[in-house]
Amino acid sequence: MEITCPVSFTDFDRVLLGHGSGGKLSRRLIDTIFYPAFKNEWLEQNHDGCVFPMNAGKLACSTDSFVVDPIFFPGGNIGDLAVNGTVNDLACCGADPMFLTVGFILEEGLPLSDLQKIVYAMKIAAEKADVRIIAGDTKVVAHGQCDKLFINTSGIGAVPPDVCISPSKAEPGDVVICSGNIGVHGITILSTRESLGFETTLESDTASLNKMTSKLVKTITDVHVLRDPTRGGVGTTLNEIAEASKVKIELDEARLPVPDAVRAASEILGLDPLYIANEGILLVILPEKHAGEAVALLQQFSEGRQTCVIGRVLEPGGASVSMKTIYGNHRIVTMLTGEQLPRIC
Amino acid sequence: MEITCPVSFTDFDRVLLGHGSGGKLSRRLIDTIFYPAFKNEWLEQNHDGCVFPMNAGKLACSTDSFVVDPIFFPGGNIGDLAVNGTVNDLACCGADPMFLTVGFILEEGLPLSDLQKIVYAMKIAAEKADVRIIAGDTKVVAHGQCDKLFINTSGIGAVPPDVCISPSKAEPGDVVICSGNIGVHGITILSTRESLGFETTLESDTASLNKMTSKLVKTITDVHVLRDPTRGGVGTTLNEIAEASKVKIELDEARLPVPDAVRAASEILGLDPLYIANEGILLVILPEKHAGEAVALLQQFSEGRQTCVIGRVLEPGGASVSMKTIYGNHRIVTMLTGEQLPRIC
């Protein structure tokens, strides 16, 4: 999705060390870029932090730093990725995300127009996810001491009283549902790295998933596990769940939603789509009796149109993930070892 | 304060790109460094985020990224600085800090023993401030793409019902109280930068101030403003308060607690102590009738032994800060322009 941002800087306007001083230039950055995009009653408290009222109940919080390279890629940029990433971590706790904080680390010399585009993408992503950015911080390091910019987002959400989602709750008899195509974000980022010399028409699937999860957990009360399989991919995420729940999980390769473009690129690069990072899909584990209802519910959302059952939870003990291949035999799916794709998110 | 950390790595053990993969090496980093230091019931949820119960009321949240250079300095390191920084931002909202999240960005090649020492300092600082680290994230970038490590901390605290602290609440008739010596952190960091070629016996004043603020706001109900004058120093912080409250503030130079070592170094370097960063002091603004009680209360804490009144709030309008000099005349104290000391926190 291409976002058109109102740009008020020229190519000569760059981030200076003084923008991180806490003094006049910091204030100017806030007044010209951050406030116009994020402005809300909470942020206007203009304090060291933000004070807000909260009802009694369960809260969720999460934090994530984003170092994706390149900072602009087909389908998004580091800004919407940073908002969606933390929104989705909260959503996977069963929470309705409410508030985000944002911490920028900027490299001296970064074009202010780039920063403005990224901040604008954050504004749009926050509006879509219905979250407010209520506190922020900006540091500037000298040229060469970081790579363009890094963003940390941390978030707070409210967990409805009856909702209890945990990676340790997968049970024998559950099914594993995947809400969309696998490997799209990772292959998109790889395609932009010049040295790899391949092209694709793919776009990152970065999106906020909290509207899907919110409807799901409020409709089906015994959802056991929610996870967004980002770094490490579906394979690693399911291994973490198998370990936490002490169960065996079996995937069905024939059902895995791997788009042709991902499959082709993976073969060229020698990668396994099960370990490629995703930013806009969800793994749902719940009792088989709810599978049909859950799939139909998720398919109502544009991000969930491809939702399908991809596996099931077998007997407890062993804590492993296997896959029935398209040839009918089985192979073990381990956790990712080493690093496939640095700086994918 | 020298912290002795149990180190279990040799000089050959370094951060690898795979430590940020989300796979096996990420898990090992968590199991060998982060969990042993931070372990608590919340962190053990082992999820994308952390779910915790909260009573109804006012909450405060804050975020800060830390890029201090060098990462180890007299009196502390980037780890305790990161914990104390966010604890103090929450404290200055009048909150009792409860939970922190931590986001690490690590440079490939960073010695794991350094990371372990820093994490251990975070553990000790969190214990002192009585806060729990309940969620975290680690990214690794290639050698040369960041400088050793950056840390983001974000935090949540509970604000007692009657407490209402804001930079916009300074009123004519208030006094400005400072809880300790000015300029110590900034000059300490500067002294470690080899190219500057001067030495000092100073140590950073990094400390958590929440026990002081908690007692203060619970004892004296009409505290108007609390701020820790970090980046930009006392001068910039008071300008922000003057602007937010639309008042004039007058400092009394004769009362400013500037230690000899800070004064000497400032003169050599051509710096004004009013703009040098502090990490362990607090500015308090409250009605003059409470000044004696507040000073006595803060002096009971080891961090507050040097507490004194340094100025007062004059008539509204004008939004400026001035200083009565030791020669009896007045000078305007503006906000910091440009950048005095990059990467001071």
Side-chain angles (χ1 to χ4, degrees):
Chain A
M1 175 199 53
E2 192 63 39
I3 292 174
T4 310
C5 155
V7 171
S8 44
F9 296 98
T10 71
D11 270 4
F12 297 102
D13 297 316
R14 303 282 175 145
V15 169
L16 308 172
L17 281 175
H19 283 122
S21 66
K24 275 186 187 165
L25 279 170
S26 300
R27 170 59 64 89
R28 198 176 301 164
L29 204 61
I30 292 171
D31 288 343
T32 57
I33 296 187
F34 298 132
Y35 268 14
F38 298 150
K39 202 167 184 178
N40 60 56
E41 59 180 311
W42 313 112
L43 206 57
E44 279 171 26
Q45 292 175 13
N46 210 350
H47 200 349
D48 277 348
C50 171
V51 177
F52 52 92
M54 185 66 79
N55 296 327
K58 285 188 293 184
L59 295 184
C61 79
S62 185
T63 190
D64 237 332
S65 297
F66 294 83
V67 299
V68 66
D69 173 38
I71 55 175
F72 295 97
F73 48 81
N77 65 48
I78 190 172
D80 41 15
L81 193 74
V83 168
N84 294 335
T86 291
V87 162
N88 292 346
D89 282 349
L90 294 170
C92 286
C93 295
D96 289 317
M98 301 168 70
F99 297 122
L100 295 188
T101 63
V102 182
F104 293 96
I105 299 174
L106 309 178
E107 184 184 14
E108 180 190 23
L110 179 77
L112 285 176
S113 57
D114 281 356
L115 179 62
Q116 194 173 35
K117 283 177 207 160
I118 287 161
V119 166
Y120 192 77
M122 299 183 81
K123 162 197 165 76
I124 301 293
E127 284 170 0
K128 278 192 190 168
D130 199 17
V131 294
R132 265 139 293 275
I133 291 167
I134 60 170
D137 174 61
T138 305
K139 295 294 189 305
V140 179
V141 299
H143 183 68
Q145 293 178 347
C146 86
D147 189 13
K148 297 181 205 69
L149 85 163
F150 302 145
I151 302 179
N152 176 282
T153 51
S154 301
I156 300 172
V159 183
D162 299 334
V163 171
C164 185
I165 308 286
S166 163
S168 64
K169 286 189 65 191
E171 283 179 20
D174 286 354
V175 292
V176 181
I177 292 170
C178 180
S179 72
N181 285 328
I182 285 175
V184 177
H185 176 76
I187 295 294
T188 304
I189 298 299
L190 272 179
S191 74
T192 63
R193 305 242 174 114
E194 289 168 23
S195 57
L196 289 175
F198 82 98
E199 285 185 25
T200 170
T201 55
L202 288 174
E203 291 202 340
S204 168
D205 58 350
T206 180
S208 56
L209 304 171
N210 56 315
K211 295 198 173 155
M212 284 205 302
T213 57
S214 179
K215 182 145 190 207
L216 183 71
V217 300
K218 282 162 194 164
T219 308
I220 300 174
T221 51
D222 56 345
V223 175
H224 291 162
V225 186
L226 292 173
R227 283 292 296 273
D228 57 334
T230 53
R231 276 185 299 174
V234 170
T236 302
T237 303
L238 287 178
N239 266 281
E240 288 174 1
I241 296 168
E243 246 180 58
S245 296
K246 300 185 179 61
V247 293
K248 288 183 180 165
I249 295 176
E250 186 187 69
L251 291 173
D252 184 346
E253 187 175 16
R255 295 181 178 210
L256 278 187
V258 184
D260 289 344
V262 170
R263 197 177 297 280
S266 300
E267 280 173 12
I268 293 169
L269 299 166
L271 299 175
D272 184 337
L274 281 176
Y275 299 116
I276 297 175
N278 311 280
E279 289 293 335
I281 66 170
L282 193 66
L283 296 176
V284 182
I285 298 183
L286 44 58
E288 189 169 15
K289 64 180 176 190
H290 298 303
E293 186 184 3
V295 169
L297 185 152
L298 296 174
Q299 284 177 343
Q300 291 167 13
F301 293 84
S302 60
E303 309 87 60
R305 271 199 304 269
Q306 312 291 327
T307 302
C308 59
V309 173
I310 62 167
R312 58 204 179 107
V313 181
L314 304 179
E315 73 275 24
S320 65
V321 180
S322 66
M323 184 160 74
K324 194 174 85 181
T325 70
I326 49 173
Y327 308 109
N329 53 2
H330 284 74
R331 73 169 176 95
I332 296 294
V333 176
T334 60
M335 270 196 157
L336 175 62
T337 317
E339 173 61 303
Q340 257 191 346
L341 322 163
R343 298 185 59 188
I344 209 73
C345 62
Chain B
M1 175 198 52
E2 191 65 39
I3 292 175
T4 310
C5 155
V7 172
S8 45
F9 296 97
T10 71
D11 270 4
F12 297 103
D13 297 315
R14 301 284 174 143
V15 169
L16 307 172
L17 281 174
H19 283 120
S21 67
K24 274 186 187 165
L25 279 171
S26 299
R27 171 58 64 89
R28 197 176 302 162
L29 205 60
I30 291 171
D31 288 344
T32 57
I33 296 187
F34 298 132
Y35 268 13
F38 299 150
K39 202 166 183 178
N40 60 56
E41 60 181 310
W42 313 111
L43 205 58
E44 279 170 27
Q45 292 175 14
N46 211 350
H47 199 346
D48 277 348
C50 171
V51 177
F52 53 90
M54 185 66 77
N55 297 328
K58 286 188 291 185
L59 294 184
C61 78
S62 185
T63 190
D64 237 330
S65 296
F66 294 83
V67 299
V68 65
D69 173 38
I71 55 176
F72 295 97
F73 47 81
N77 65 48
I78 189 173
D80 41 15
L81 193 72
V83 168
N84 294 335
T86 291
V87 161
N88 291 347
D89 282 349
L90 294 170
C92 286
C93 295
D96 288 317
M98 302 168 70
F99 298 122
L100 296 188
T101 63
V102 182
F104 293 95
I105 298 175
L106 308 178
E107 184 184 16
E108 180 188 24
L110 179 77
L112 285 176
S113 56
D114 281 356
L115 179 62
Q116 194 172 35
K117 283 177 206 160
I118 287 161
V119 167
Y120 191 78
M122 299 183 82
K123 163 197 164 77
I124 301 293
E127 285 170 1
K128 277 193 191 166
D130 199 17
V131 294
R132 265 139 294 276
I133 291 167
I134 60 171
D137 174 62
T138 306
K139 295 293 189 304
V140 179
V141 299
H143 184 69
Q145 293 177 347
C146 86
D147 188 14
K148 299 182 204 69
L149 87 163
F150 302 145
I151 302 178
N152 175 283
T153 51
S154 301
I156 300 172
V159 183
D162 300 333
V163 171
C164 186
I165 307 287
S166 164
S168 64
K169 285 189 65 190
E171 282 179 21
D174 285 355
V175 291
V176 181
I177 292 170
C178 180
S179 72
N181 285 328
I182 285 175
V184 177
H185 176 76
I187 295 295
T188 303
I189 299 299
L190 271 179
S191 74
T192 64
R193 306 242 174 115
E194 289 169 24
S195 57
L196 289 176
F198 82 98
E199 284 183 28
T200 169
T201 55
L202 288 174
E203 292 202 341
S204 167
D205 58 351
T206 180
S208 55
L209 304 172
N210 55 316
K211 296 199 171 154
M212 280 204 308
T213 57
S214 180
K215 181 144 190 206
L216 183 70
V217 300
K218 282 161 193 162
T219 307
I220 300 174
T221 51
D222 57 344
V223 175
H224 291 163
V225 186
L226 292 172
R227 283 292 298 273
D228 57 334
T230 54
R231 274 186 300 175
V234 170
T236 302
T237 302
L238 287 179
N239 266 280
E240 288 173 3
I241 296 169
E243 247 180 57
S245 297
K246 300 183 179 62
V247 293
K248 288 184 180 163
I249 295 176
E250 185 186 70
L251 290 173
D252 184 346
E253 188 174 16
R255 295 181 177 212
L256 278 187
V258 184
D260 289 344
V262 169
R263 197 177 296 280
S266 300
E267 279 173 12
I268 293 170
L269 298 166
L271 299 175
D272 184 338
L274 281 177
Y275 298 115
I276 298 175
N278 311 280
E279 289 293 335
I281 66 169
L282 192 67
L283 297 176
V284 182
I285 298 182
L286 43 59
E288 189 168 15
K289 65 181 175 189
H290 298 302
E293 187 183 3
V295 169
L297 185 152
L298 296 175
Q299 284 177 342
Q300 289 167 13
F301 293 84
S302 60
E303 310 86 59
R305 271 198 305 268
Q306 312 291 327
T307 301
C308 59
V309 173
I310 62 167
R312 58 203 179 110
V313 180
L314 303 180
E315 74 275 25
S320 64
V321 180
S322 65
M323 184 161 74
K324 194 174 87 181
T325 70
I326 49 174
Y327 308 109
N329 53 1
H330 283 75
R331 73 169 176 93
I332 295 295
V333 176
T334 60
M335 270 197 158
L336 176 62
T337 316
E339 172 62 302
Q340 256 192 350
L341 322 162
R343 298 184 60 188
I344 209 74
C345 63

